[in-house]
Amino acid sequence: MINNKNKSYLIALGKHLRKLREEEKLSQEDLANDCDIPINQIGRIERGEINTTVSTLYLIAKALHLKPKDLLDF
């Protein structure tokens, strides 16, 4: 269970990720394939439903041609 303090941060991260993904004109499926992770995981991150790992954030940043810190700069 995610506590409420973390929930707002995870939702903000998810919105930022969706914006960055859409700027790259990638679907959730494209991004998931580029990261070799399940498509539903991208959706759950974007909706702020899960607290993803640093390793997954690294894969996502790499697929979006960003530095990992850029995912957290919102």
Side-chain angles (χ1 to χ4, degrees):
M1 184 85 173
I2 298 171
N3 73 35
N4 285 334
K5 288 189 283 185
N6 291 340
K7 184 70 174 170
S8 63
Y9 183 79
L10 295 176
I11 289 170
L13 171 64
K15 287 179 182 179
H16 185 60
L17 172 56
R18 178 174 287 152
K19 177 180 154 282
L20 294 170
R21 177 181 56 77
E22 289 174 347
E23 286 175 359
E24 289 292 316
K25 301 191 183 343
L26 291 174
S27 67
Q28 288 183 349
E29 183 176 13
D30 292 334
L31 182 56
N33 288 337
D34 290 349
C35 297
D36 196 29
I37 61 176
I39 186 173
N40 70 331
Q41 188 170 353
I42 297 295
R44 293 179 69 206
I45 294 167
E46 288 187 356
R47 290 187 302 274
E49 294 176 354
I50 60 171
N51 188 359
T52 194
T53 66
V54 172
S55 297
T56 299
L57 288 177
Y58 174 79
L59 292 172
I60 292 170
K62 187 175 173 183
L64 294 173
H65 312 290
L66 300 170
K67 294 179 181 177
K69 69 177 187 162
D70 296 332
L71 287 178
L72 304 174
D73 188 21
F74 51 91

